Structures are given as structure tokens and as C-alpha cells.
Amino acid sequence: MSNLDIFLQQLANGLILGSFYALVALGYTMVYGIIKLLNFAHGDLYMVGSFVGFLILSAISGLLGDSWAAILCSMVLSMLAVGLLGVLIQRVAYQPMLSAPRLSILITALAVSMVLSNTVMALTNGEYKAFITDLGYDGVDIGNVFVTYTQIVLVVSAAFLMVVLYLFVHKTLYGKAMRAIAIDQDACRLMGINVNRVIALTFFIGSALATAAGVMAGVYYGSIHFAMGFVIGLKAFTAAVIGGIGSIPGAMLGGLVLGLLEAFGTQIPAIGTEWKDVFSFGILILLLIFKPTGLLGKTEIERM
Amino acid sequence: MKKRTMLAAIGGALAGLLMLGQACVAADLKIGIMVPTTGSEATAGKDMENAMKLAVSEINDAGGVLGMQIVTITGDDACDPQQATAAASKLVSSDVTAVVGGYCSGATLPTLKIYGDAGIPMVIPAANSTKLITANPGNAFQINSTGFDQVNTAVDLFKKKGVKRLAIIHQGDGYSEDLARLTREKWTGMGNEVVAYEVVNKGEQDQSALVTRIKSKRPDAVFWTAYYADGAMVIKQLRQAGYRKLIAVGDGSNSPKLLEIAGRAAEGVYCFSNPTVEYLPAAKTFADNYRKTFKQNPDAYAALAYDGMKLMADAITRAGTTDKKAIIKALAETRDFQGIAGPISFTDKNTLAKSNFVILVAKGGKWTLYQ
């Protein structure tokens, strides 16, 4: 491999990884944008989504086989299921805390995270589960870069979901309501917008996107584990902050930046792959010091 | 119903006493078994105890040793250094002629001195920390290969497969880093090249950056020295990225789960393993007898425990006396004792002269014996 090949291959790696991060970061950023909550349980919803997708896939694989159709079907069903779980969590754990100080609801989010991961741990005895799909190792050589069909499908579906979300937020009435609530909840209430329903919808979409990423990760990496949500949760949070938390295009950009950063960071000679996380969290610290609003975030001006 | 149970109990006790009496008359040979029969490692310990008892009953059925029947006394070390010390003292004070046992290295270590002071010959079937070699006062003999042996097995395979450029990946924990470091030392010492020596974080799912880094160094073989769960993912992503050459994993990755997670990608992966019963053709009769007697499958160290007891009996026969010094001498002089896990001879450090590490290869979703 020449240096150019390595560069291109790491570019591809970074984009694939980045699209996972972006999908999870979207949920983070939407929830933060609308109720100013850092939902630390978000990474665990990704993990739960992965397990639910795994269950559904094993249930329907007898019917559809390990085909793309089966995967798509299990992905859609688990997005629905975990989306509803997200709404349930919001109703039970967050709704009563909305008027409490921000810190209380943050701690609630941590508690939800623990409940989710420990429940799955208890159910699976903490074992790794093999997410078996018989997708091939075939792929295409783009120049000297080898990309499998699985990778292409995953990136395309991630991009598709992001585009749909963008259109939803910017072209529909509900999207408009979301943006309005993000600016001023009380005014929206006075205007007759059903704020609770919009918040629930936000949680549904965020959880469903995390689930999509979780199922994709399961298909792609082939193994799932109760603790897999923790690191990705932190990374998605970092991605959201990089892009400017609360901003949807920011989350997409942040995810991609983070993925590329990790892929190229590990390529530095004398610094091994174990430094990967150092790059992501290092940039988080730098950004918080020099540009706390993130790349696409706007400085909030409070008007009296 | 109750009465009958009681009668049976009394009958059993009487029979037991009778047998004990008989055994006493026949002048027995006491051999101590030291394994964890309680605590976290109890399953492994009981499995070894079963295997040793099976060996003893075979020996006794064939007429015993030097005309004596073997009786065993079990000391439970609970895989805990303190309890191991107590267990060893118990065995010494019960006046055993020899001891076979040692599963956890940490628990076996302090007992070496106790048996050493009492001059009791010992065969260690499972524990294999390299510390046991230096702490050995000369009476203990290890029939499980050491970490050095695993490295030798690995290096031999690489050499045989014409590997020139080797990539090693570990996870930074004591076990995998040690194995990786020893392999690197040995491999470069032989004048070969280690083109990549990488560490990965535990639980990391995405290994694409690592895989690209490794692929760009064009290694002929990749050696994963850590455990199965992450190993499976590394293997899978290496194959997905188009790496088609040799992949080998250490004994920590010897799990069917690795094959399940990695799926087709694991096909043809080599694994270095302790001689477990399922991969030993010579252990078939043993495995059948074991299943028949104990209604369960023999576990990882059953074969070595069985060999250990047989070796001890053989050494006592060769010594021709129950004098402990003579037995130790006989053990040291063991030449190609045919165990079911492979032939046993000792080095001057009382470790196996020829490693019994076996090489497995993944075929059709199963680990099979290579060669």
C-alpha cells in the first residue's frame, strides 16, 4: 500500500465510523435542543436497539433468511419498538423532572442509563452475542481502496436517514413545532402547540435513530454486548459538541469529523491504535476551551 | 420410605467402613490430590479430581503400585494462597507419599515450599505461571506447558508456514502483553521481522483503523494474543478488509464463541491450546470412561490431571520403593512417558522437555486438531 492508498482507505474507514457516530449524535443533539437535557441514556438506547434488532432478526430469519430484506425489516421494527421505549422513558423518568433544576434531570438520565445496561446484562449474563448475518465479504475496489458492499449499504442508509430527518425538521409542521419549542417552550404553549407531544416525538425519533445505528453496528461488527453503548454514547456526545450541540447539521458534521479524526489519528507513526479515544476526547477538551459553541453552533443571546 | 433410606445409609456406612478396613489391611499408598473443590474454580478442580480418581481406580484394578492399593486424600486449595497453605499442611500431616495437583498458579506457589520442606514429590498438572519455575525447590514437576512453550509453538508454526513479516496485536493486560512480548523477543531473536506490534483497547468495536495500519505493513501472519470476544472482531474486520494470509490466536482465544462471532471469517484461523480432551485422539477411551463414570464431559485439564496421576504411579513403580527421594529421582528421569496428552520428559528445570501445546485450526465452524 502506498501512502495515498493508506490515506484513501483511512478516509473510507473514517466516513463509515463517522456515519455511526453521526446517527447516534443526532438523537443527543435533538433532545438537547428541545429540552436542554444531556441524555446520557442515549448510548444505552443504541445498545438496547442492537439487542432488539438481534432478537427480531433471529425471529424472522426463519421466514426471510439472512437477507438484506430481513435486516431491513428487523431494523424498521426495532426502530419502532425502541422508539416507543424512548417515549416511555421520557414519560416516566424525564417528564416529571422538566421543571426541576437541570442537574436533577441529568442525574435521572444517568440512572436510566444504568437501569438499561444492567437489565440487558442480567438478561444476557453479560455474554457477548454473535450477531450472525451471512453477508459476504465481497466488495469493490475503488482505486486501491477496498470497500465491502455491507459498508456501502450502511453508509448509504445512514445518509438516507439523515436526509429524511433533515427534511422532516425543515419541511413539516411538526418539524417547525420542534424548532419553535427549542426557542421558547412557554410561548409555544401559548400558541396552542401540544408541547408534550412534540417532545415525545423528539424522543421517538432520537431513539429510533440510535437503534438504526445499533442494528447497523450489530450487522457490521457481528457481535453485541451489554456495555457497547457506553463508549459510543460518549463519542456521540463528543460529536454533538464538536458540531455544536442542539444543531442537527452540526451533529452530522461532528460525527464525520470525529470518525475521520480517529481513523487518521491512529495512522501517526509511534502512536498506536490504543490512542484512538485520546484523540476524540482531546479534541472535545480543546473545543470546549476555544469554541464552546461547536463548529456550527450559534452563540445564544438571551433577550430580556 | 424413611426407614428404608436410613437402612440404606447405615448399609452404606458399614460398607464404607468395611472397605476402609480392607484398605488398611492391604497397606496402602497415600497420594494427595490438591485442587480447588470449593470457590470460584471449583468446577475445574472437581473435574481434575474426577480424572485423577479415574486414573487411581484403573491403577488399583490392575493390581496397584508395588503391590499396594492407592488411596487418595483431597486437600482443597480453593484457588486461594492461604487455604492452599492449609491444604498442603493437611496433606503433609496425613503422611502422603506424593502429591498430584495445582490448578491456580497463585495458590500453588506457596505450597511448593511446604512440600519441598517435607521432601514430597509433586506433579503439577495445570498451574503454569513462569514463577513456578523459579520457586520450585526441585521436588515439583510441571506437566502443563509454560508460556514459553506457547511462544515456541507459535514461532514454529510461523516458521513452518514460511512467515517472514509478523504482526502482533495484544490488549495491554498482563496475559496478552506477556505473550506478545515473549513472541516478539523470540521472533526478532531468530532474525525475523515484527512489522507491527499493536495494542487495542478492550471492548472497542471498530478496528478499521488498526486493520488498515496492519494491512499497510504487509505482514505474512497476524498473531492475536488476547481473548476471544475482541479477537473475533479483529479477525472479522481483517478478513473484511481483504487480508487473506495467516491469522493465529493464543490459548485465551480458544473458545467456540470466537468462531460463532467471526463466522466465516474465522475459517482457517490457527489457535494454540492446552491439550484438552476433545482434541486428543489418544484420550478417547479416557473420555468415554469419564462420561460413563461421572455423567458429564471432561473439561480443560482432565487429560493432564489423569496423566499426572498415572505418571506419579509410574514413577513410584520405577523407583521400586516409597522413599520420597527415590521417587523424585525417578520423576526427573522420566523419559517419554506416554500420557494421553502426549509424551512426557522433563528439562533440568522440571518443566516439559517437549511442549504439549496443540495447534487447532478452524474448519467448518469448529476447532479441529491441526496435522
PDB file of all heavy atoms in Angstrom, chain B residues 72-105:
ATOM      1  N   THR B  72      -6.522 -41.975  47.882  1.00  0.00           N
ATOM      2  CA  THR B  72      -6.264 -40.555  47.684  1.00  0.00           C
ATOM      3  C   THR B  72      -6.861 -39.744  48.827  1.00  0.00           C
ATOM      4  O   THR B  72      -7.864 -40.128  49.422  1.00  0.00           O
ATOM      5  CB  THR B  72      -6.874 -40.061  46.369  1.00  0.00           C
ATOM      6  OG1 THR B  72      -8.267 -40.325  46.393  1.00  0.00           O
ATOM      7  CG2 THR B  72      -6.252 -40.741  45.179  1.00  0.00           C
ATOM      8  N   ILE B  73      -6.212 -38.669  49.143  1.00  0.00           N
ATOM      9  CA  ILE B  73      -6.730 -37.712  50.119  1.00  0.00           C
ATOM     10  C   ILE B  73      -6.784 -36.369  49.411  1.00  0.00           C
ATOM     11  O   ILE B  73      -5.788 -35.943  48.815  1.00  0.00           O
ATOM     12  CB  ILE B  73      -5.809 -37.589  51.344  1.00  0.00           C
ATOM     13  CG1 ILE B  73      -5.614 -38.969  51.972  1.00  0.00           C
ATOM     14  CG2 ILE B  73      -6.375 -36.602  52.342  1.00  0.00           C
ATOM     15  CD1 ILE B  73      -4.521 -38.992  53.002  1.00  0.00           C
ATOM     16  N   THR B  74      -7.949 -35.721  49.432  1.00  0.00           N
ATOM     17  CA  THR B  74      -8.044 -34.451  48.729  1.00  0.00           C
ATOM     18  C   THR B  74      -7.860 -33.276  49.687  1.00  0.00           C
ATOM     19  O   THR B  74      -8.484 -33.228  50.739  1.00  0.00           O
ATOM     20  CB  THR B  74      -9.411 -34.329  48.031  1.00  0.00           C
ATOM     21  OG1 THR B  74      -9.574 -35.434  47.158  1.00  0.00           O
ATOM     22  CG2 THR B  74      -9.492 -33.040  47.214  1.00  0.00           C
ATOM     23  N   GLY B  75      -6.964 -32.382  49.303  1.00  0.00           N
ATOM     24  CA  GLY B  75      -6.818 -31.118  50.027  1.00  0.00           C
ATOM     25  C   GLY B  75      -7.371 -30.013  49.147  1.00  0.00           C
ATOM     26  O   GLY B  75      -6.990 -29.885  47.988  1.00  0.00           O
ATOM     27  N   ASP B  76      -8.307 -29.242  49.697  1.00  0.00           N
ATOM     28  CA  ASP B  76      -8.967 -28.210  48.895  1.00  0.00           C
ATOM     29  C   ASP B  76      -8.199 -26.895  49.006  1.00  0.00           C
ATOM     30  O   ASP B  76      -8.142 -26.303  50.079  1.00  0.00           O
ATOM     31  CB  ASP B  76     -10.405 -28.048  49.403  1.00  0.00           C
ATOM     32  CG  ASP B  76     -11.101 -26.851  48.778  1.00  0.00           C
ATOM     33  OD1 ASP B  76     -10.709 -26.462  47.661  1.00  0.00           O
ATOM     34  OD2 ASP B  76     -12.038 -26.326  49.414  1.00  0.00           O
ATOM     35  N   ASP B  77      -7.615 -26.432  47.905  1.00  0.00           N
ATOM     36  CA  ASP B  77      -6.853 -25.170  47.985  1.00  0.00           C
ATOM     37  C   ASP B  77      -7.731 -23.954  47.661  1.00  0.00           C
ATOM     38  O   ASP B  77      -7.301 -22.821  47.829  1.00  0.00           O
ATOM     39  CB  ASP B  77      -5.604 -25.211  47.109  1.00  0.00           C
ATOM     40  CG  ASP B  77      -5.904 -25.200  45.617  1.00  0.00           C
ATOM     41  OD1 ASP B  77      -7.021 -24.820  45.227  1.00  0.00           O
ATOM     42  OD2 ASP B  77      -5.018 -25.559  44.837  1.00  0.00           O
ATOM     43  N   ALA B  78      -8.956 -24.196  47.182  1.00  0.00           N
ATOM     44  CA  ALA B  78      -9.938 -23.133  46.911  1.00  0.00           C
ATOM     45  C   ALA B  78      -9.383 -22.020  46.021  1.00  0.00           C
ATOM     46  O   ALA B  78      -9.941 -20.933  45.967  1.00  0.00           O
ATOM     47  CB  ALA B  78     -10.489 -22.540  48.199  1.00  0.00           C
ATOM     48  N   CYS B  79      -8.291 -22.295  45.337  1.00  0.00           N
ATOM     49  CA  CYS B  79      -7.647 -21.315  44.465  1.00  0.00           C
ATOM     50  C   CYS B  79      -7.228 -20.080  45.259  1.00  0.00           C
ATOM     51  O   CYS B  79      -7.227 -18.973  44.761  1.00  0.00           O
ATOM     52  CB  CYS B  79      -8.584 -20.923  43.321  1.00  0.00           C
ATOM     53  SG  CYS B  79      -7.729 -20.108  41.992  1.00  0.00           S
ATOM     54  N   ASP B  80      -6.902 -20.282  46.525  1.00  0.00           N
ATOM     55  CA  ASP B  80      -6.580 -19.171  47.414  1.00  0.00           C
ATOM     56  C   ASP B  80      -5.270 -19.505  48.131  1.00  0.00           C
ATOM     57  O   ASP B  80      -5.140 -20.601  48.692  1.00  0.00           O
ATOM     58  CB  ASP B  80      -7.727 -19.016  48.417  1.00  0.00           C
ATOM     59  CG  ASP B  80      -7.386 -18.067  49.540  1.00  0.00           C
ATOM     60  OD1 ASP B  80      -7.292 -16.869  49.270  1.00  0.00           O
ATOM     61  OD2 ASP B  80      -7.183 -18.536  50.676  1.00  0.00           O
ATOM     62  N   PRO B  81      -4.298 -18.616  48.109  1.00  0.00           N
ATOM     63  CA  PRO B  81      -2.983 -18.937  48.670  1.00  0.00           C
ATOM     64  C   PRO B  81      -3.037 -19.400  50.129  1.00  0.00           C
ATOM     65  O   PRO B  81      -2.375 -20.370  50.496  1.00  0.00           O
ATOM     66  CB  PRO B  81      -2.222 -17.614  48.556  1.00  0.00           C
ATOM     67  CG  PRO B  81      -2.893 -16.877  47.481  1.00  0.00           C
ATOM     68  CD  PRO B  81      -4.322 -17.298  47.496  1.00  0.00           C
ATOM     69  N   GLN B  82      -3.867 -18.711  50.938  1.00  0.00           N
ATOM     70  CA  GLN B  82      -3.919 -19.080  52.360  1.00  0.00           C
ATOM     71  C   GLN B  82      -4.499 -20.465  52.546  1.00  0.00           C
ATOM     72  O   GLN B  82      -3.969 -21.282  53.293  1.00  0.00           O
ATOM     73  CB  GLN B  82      -4.765 -18.068  53.114  1.00  0.00           C
ATOM     74  CG  GLN B  82      -3.936 -16.878  53.525  1.00  0.00           C
ATOM     75  CD  GLN B  82      -4.720 -15.906  54.354  1.00  0.00           C
ATOM     76  OE1 GLN B  82      -5.933 -16.025  54.513  1.00  0.00           O
ATOM     77  NE2 GLN B  82      -4.029 -14.934  54.894  1.00  0.00           N
ATOM     78  N   GLN B  83      -5.617 -20.702  51.864  1.00  0.00           N
ATOM     79  CA  GLN B  83      -6.242 -22.001  52.031  1.00  0.00           C
ATOM     80  C   GLN B  83      -5.379 -23.104  51.437  1.00  0.00           C
ATOM     81  O   GLN B  83      -5.382 -24.232  51.922  1.00  0.00           O
ATOM     82  CB  GLN B  83      -7.634 -22.002  51.401  1.00  0.00           C
ATOM     83  CG  GLN B  83      -8.436 -23.132  51.985  1.00  0.00           C
ATOM     84  CD  GLN B  83      -9.915 -22.949  51.790  1.00  0.00           C
ATOM     85  OE1 GLN B  83     -10.393 -21.828  51.675  1.00  0.00           O
ATOM     86  NE2 GLN B  83     -10.627 -24.049  51.757  1.00  0.00           N
ATOM     87  N   ALA B  84      -4.609 -22.748  50.400  1.00  0.00           N
ATOM     88  CA  ALA B  84      -3.721 -23.726  49.792  1.00  0.00           C
ATOM     89  C   ALA B  84      -2.648 -24.148  50.786  1.00  0.00           C
ATOM     90  O   ALA B  84      -2.288 -25.321  50.869  1.00  0.00           O
ATOM     91  CB  ALA B  84      -3.094 -23.141  48.531  1.00  0.00           C
ATOM     92  N   THR B  85      -2.152 -23.183  51.560  1.00  0.00           N
ATOM     93  CA  THR B  85      -1.143 -23.485  52.571  1.00  0.00           C
ATOM     94  C   THR B  85      -1.711 -24.462  53.589  1.00  0.00           C
ATOM     95  O   THR B  85      -1.061 -25.441  53.967  1.00  0.00           O
ATOM     96  CB  THR B  85      -0.721 -22.188  53.279  1.00  0.00           C
ATOM     97  OG1 THR B  85      -0.542 -21.185  52.293  1.00  0.00           O
ATOM     98  CG2 THR B  85       0.561 -22.369  54.025  1.00  0.00           C
ATOM     99  N   ALA B  86      -2.965 -24.189  54.019  1.00  0.00           N
ATOM    100  CA  ALA B  86      -3.608 -25.074  54.985  1.00  0.00           C
ATOM    101  C   ALA B  86      -3.804 -26.469  54.393  1.00  0.00           C
ATOM    102  O   ALA B  86      -3.551 -27.488  55.060  1.00  0.00           O
ATOM    103  CB  ALA B  86      -4.954 -24.486  55.406  1.00  0.00           C
ATOM    104  N   ALA B  87      -4.220 -26.496  53.124  1.00  0.00           N
ATOM    105  CA  ALA B  87      -4.477 -27.783  52.469  1.00  0.00           C
ATOM    106  C   ALA B  87      -3.178 -28.583  52.364  1.00  0.00           C
ATOM    107  O   ALA B  87      -3.154 -29.798  52.610  1.00  0.00           O
ATOM    108  CB  ALA B  87      -5.081 -27.560  51.092  1.00  0.00           C
ATOM    109  N   ALA B  88      -2.096 -27.876  52.017  1.00  0.00           N
ATOM    110  CA  ALA B  88      -0.814 -28.558  51.869  1.00  0.00           C
ATOM    111  C   ALA B  88      -0.350 -29.121  53.211  1.00  0.00           C
ATOM    112  O   ALA B  88       0.112 -30.263  53.293  1.00  0.00           O
ATOM    113  CB  ALA B  88       0.218 -27.592  51.305  1.00  0.00           C
ATOM    114  N   SER B  89      -0.526 -28.322  54.292  1.00  0.00           N
ATOM    115  CA  SER B  89      -0.119 -28.798  55.615  1.00  0.00           C
ATOM    116  C   SER B  89      -0.928 -30.027  55.998  1.00  0.00           C
ATOM    117  O   SER B  89      -0.397 -30.972  56.588  1.00  0.00           O
ATOM    118  CB  SER B  89      -0.321 -27.707  56.664  1.00  0.00           C
ATOM    119  OG  SER B  89       0.313 -26.536  56.233  1.00  0.00           O
ATOM    120  N   LYS B  90      -2.206 -29.995  55.653  1.00  0.00           N
ATOM    121  CA  LYS B  90      -3.069 -31.143  55.961  1.00  0.00           C
ATOM    122  C   LYS B  90      -2.556 -32.402  55.257  1.00  0.00           C
ATOM    123  O   LYS B  90      -2.433 -33.461  55.864  1.00  0.00           O
ATOM    124  CB  LYS B  90      -4.503 -30.844  55.510  1.00  0.00           C
ATOM    125  CG  LYS B  90      -5.447 -32.036  55.648  1.00  0.00           C
ATOM    126  CD  LYS B  90      -6.777 -31.792  54.946  1.00  0.00           C
ATOM    127  CE  LYS B  90      -7.379 -33.121  54.487  1.00  0.00           C
ATOM    128  NZ  LYS B  90      -8.542 -32.924  53.648  1.00  0.00           N
ATOM    129  N   LEU B  91      -2.201 -32.247  53.992  1.00  0.00           N
ATOM    130  CA  LEU B  91      -1.727 -33.405  53.238  1.00  0.00           C
ATOM    131  C   LEU B  91      -0.408 -33.913  53.810  1.00  0.00           C
ATOM    132  O   LEU B  91      -0.202 -35.124  53.932  1.00  0.00           O
ATOM    133  CB  LEU B  91      -1.572 -33.050  51.753  1.00  0.00           C
ATOM    134  CG  LEU B  91      -2.875 -32.804  50.993  1.00  0.00           C
ATOM    135  CD1 LEU B  91      -2.595 -32.478  49.544  1.00  0.00           C
ATOM    136  CD2 LEU B  91      -3.790 -34.016  51.089  1.00  0.00           C
ATOM    137  N   VAL B  92       0.481 -32.963  54.168  1.00  0.00           N
ATOM    138  CA  VAL B  92       1.770 -33.370  54.713  1.00  0.00           C
ATOM    139  C   VAL B  92       1.568 -34.130  56.025  1.00  0.00           C
ATOM    140  O   VAL B  92       2.156 -35.193  56.247  1.00  0.00           O
ATOM    141  CB  VAL B  92       2.684 -32.145  54.947  1.00  0.00           C
ATOM    142  CG1 VAL B  92       3.923 -32.531  55.722  1.00  0.00           C
ATOM    143  CG2 VAL B  92       3.074 -31.537  53.598  1.00  0.00           C
ATOM    144  N   SER B  93       0.657 -33.601  56.880  1.00  0.00           N
ATOM    145  CA  SER B  93       0.473 -34.266  58.175  1.00  0.00           C
ATOM    146  C   SER B  93      -0.312 -35.567  58.027  1.00  0.00           C
ATOM    147  O   SER B  93      -0.274 -36.420  58.910  1.00  0.00           O
ATOM    148  CB  SER B  93      -0.214 -33.332  59.171  1.00  0.00           C
ATOM    149  OG  SER B  93      -1.444 -32.913  58.645  1.00  0.00           O
ATOM    150  N   SER B  94      -1.026 -35.747  56.910  1.00  0.00           N
ATOM    151  CA  SER B  94      -1.671 -37.051  56.708  1.00  0.00           C
ATOM    152  C   SER B  94      -0.674 -38.059  56.154  1.00  0.00           C
ATOM    153  O   SER B  94      -1.057 -39.162  55.786  1.00  0.00           O
ATOM    154  CB  SER B  94      -2.844 -36.981  55.747  1.00  0.00           C
ATOM    155  OG  SER B  94      -3.407 -35.739  55.691  1.00  0.00           O
ATOM    156  N   ASP B  95       0.575 -37.617  56.045  1.00  0.00           N
ATOM    157  CA  ASP B  95       1.639 -38.539  55.687  1.00  0.00           C
ATOM    158  C   ASP B  95       1.510 -39.110  54.280  1.00  0.00           C
ATOM    159  O   ASP B  95       1.638 -40.317  54.086  1.00  0.00           O
ATOM    160  CB  ASP B  95       1.660 -39.682  56.718  1.00  0.00           C
ATOM    161  CG  ASP B  95       3.089 -40.141  56.926  1.00  0.00           C
ATOM    162  OD1 ASP B  95       4.000 -39.391  56.516  1.00  0.00           O
ATOM    163  OD2 ASP B  95       3.277 -41.235  57.468  1.00  0.00           O
ATOM    164  N   VAL B  96       1.186 -38.236  53.310  1.00  0.00           N
ATOM    165  CA  VAL B  96       1.091 -38.720  51.948  1.00  0.00           C
ATOM    166  C   VAL B  96       2.477 -38.978  51.373  1.00  0.00           C
ATOM    167  O   VAL B  96       3.455 -38.326  51.763  1.00  0.00           O
ATOM    168  CB  VAL B  96       0.344 -37.713  51.030  1.00  0.00           C
ATOM    169  CG1 VAL B  96      -1.102 -37.584  51.442  1.00  0.00           C
ATOM    170  CG2 VAL B  96       1.030 -36.358  51.040  1.00  0.00           C
ATOM    171  N   THR B  97       2.546 -39.927  50.468  1.00  0.00           N
ATOM    172  CA  THR B  97       3.832 -40.237  49.840  1.00  0.00           C
ATOM    173  C   THR B  97       4.132 -39.252  48.718  1.00  0.00           C
ATOM    174  O   THR B  97       5.281 -38.891  48.473  1.00  0.00           O
ATOM    175  CB  THR B  97       3.793 -41.658  49.256  1.00  0.00           C
ATOM    176  OG1 THR B  97       3.405 -42.537  50.308  1.00  0.00           O
ATOM    177  CG2 THR B  97       5.133 -42.062  48.697  1.00  0.00           C
ATOM    178  N   ALA B  98       3.076 -38.835  48.046  1.00  0.00           N
ATOM    179  CA  ALA B  98       3.262 -37.932  46.910  1.00  0.00           C
ATOM    180  C   ALA B  98       2.012 -37.073  46.752  1.00  0.00           C
ATOM    181  O   ALA B  98       0.965 -37.387  47.318  1.00  0.00           O
ATOM    182  CB  ALA B  98       3.512 -38.725  45.639  1.00  0.00           C
ATOM    183  N   VAL B  99       2.156 -35.995  45.977  1.00  0.00           N
ATOM    184  CA  VAL B  99       1.011 -35.114  45.737  1.00  0.00           C
ATOM    185  C   VAL B  99       0.880 -34.872  44.239  1.00  0.00           C
ATOM    186  O   VAL B  99       1.876 -34.650  43.545  1.00  0.00           O
ATOM    187  CB  VAL B  99       1.179 -33.764  46.462  1.00  0.00           C
ATOM    188  CG1 VAL B  99       0.097 -32.785  46.024  1.00  0.00           C
ATOM    189  CG2 VAL B  99       1.129 -33.950  47.959  1.00  0.00           C
ATOM    190  N   VAL B 100      -0.359 -34.940  43.749  1.00  0.00           N
ATOM    191  CA  VAL B 100      -0.632 -34.530  42.380  1.00  0.00           C
ATOM    192  C   VAL B 100      -1.645 -33.401  42.474  1.00  0.00           C
ATOM    193  O   VAL B 100      -2.680 -33.552  43.125  1.00  0.00           O
ATOM    194  CB  VAL B 100      -1.218 -35.672  41.527  1.00  0.00           C
ATOM    195  CG1 VAL B 100      -1.392 -35.227  40.086  1.00  0.00           C
ATOM    196  CG2 VAL B 100      -0.326 -36.895  41.602  1.00  0.00           C
ATOM    197  N   GLY B 101      -1.360 -32.261  41.877  1.00  0.00           N
ATOM    198  CA  GLY B 101      -2.337 -31.183  41.929  1.00  0.00           C
ATOM    199  C   GLY B 101      -1.728 -29.826  41.678  1.00  0.00           C
ATOM    200  O   GLY B 101      -0.522 -29.684  41.459  1.00  0.00           O
ATOM    201  N   GLY B 102      -2.588 -28.817  41.721  1.00  0.00           N
ATOM    202  CA  GLY B 102      -2.171 -27.453  41.422  1.00  0.00           C
ATOM    203  C   GLY B 102      -2.899 -26.965  40.197  1.00  0.00           C
ATOM    204  O   GLY B 102      -2.577 -27.344  39.080  1.00  0.00           O
ATOM    205  N   TYR B 103      -3.944 -26.182  40.413  1.00  0.00           N
ATOM    206  CA  TYR B 103      -4.680 -25.625  39.283  1.00  0.00           C
ATOM    207  C   TYR B 103      -4.373 -24.141  39.130  1.00  0.00           C
ATOM    208  O   TYR B 103      -3.922 -23.697  38.088  1.00  0.00           O
ATOM    209  CB  TYR B 103      -6.184 -25.864  39.468  1.00  0.00           C
ATOM    210  CG  TYR B 103      -7.025 -25.181  38.424  1.00  0.00           C
ATOM    211  CD1 TYR B 103      -7.119 -25.716  37.146  1.00  0.00           C
ATOM    212  CD2 TYR B 103      -7.706 -24.003  38.711  1.00  0.00           C
ATOM    213  CE1 TYR B 103      -7.876 -25.082  36.172  1.00  0.00           C
ATOM    214  CE2 TYR B 103      -8.464 -23.361  37.746  1.00  0.00           C
ATOM    215  CZ  TYR B 103      -8.539 -23.900  36.480  1.00  0.00           C
ATOM    216  OH  TYR B 103      -9.278 -23.265  35.526  1.00  0.00           O
ATOM    217  N   CYS B 104      -4.614 -23.362  40.215  1.00  0.00           N
ATOM    218  CA  CYS B 104      -4.315 -21.924  40.151  1.00  0.00           C
ATOM    219  C   CYS B 104      -2.852 -21.700  40.508  1.00  0.00           C
ATOM    220  O   CYS B 104      -2.380 -22.192  41.531  1.00  0.00           O
ATOM    221  CB  CYS B 104      -5.184 -21.168  41.150  1.00  0.00           C
ATOM    222  SG  CYS B 104      -6.927 -21.354  40.838  1.00  0.00           S
ATOM    223  N   SER B 105      -2.159 -20.942  39.684  1.00  0.00           N
ATOM    224  CA  SER B 105      -0.740 -20.700  39.944  1.00  0.00           C
ATOM    225  C   SER B 105      -0.535 -19.996  41.269  1.00  0.00           C
ATOM    226  O   SER B 105       0.359 -20.340  42.041  1.00  0.00           O
ATOM    227  CB  SER B 105      -0.140 -19.870  38.817  1.00  0.00           C
ATOM    228  OG  SER B 105      -0.189 -20.581  37.624  1.00  0.00           O
TER     229      SER B 105
END
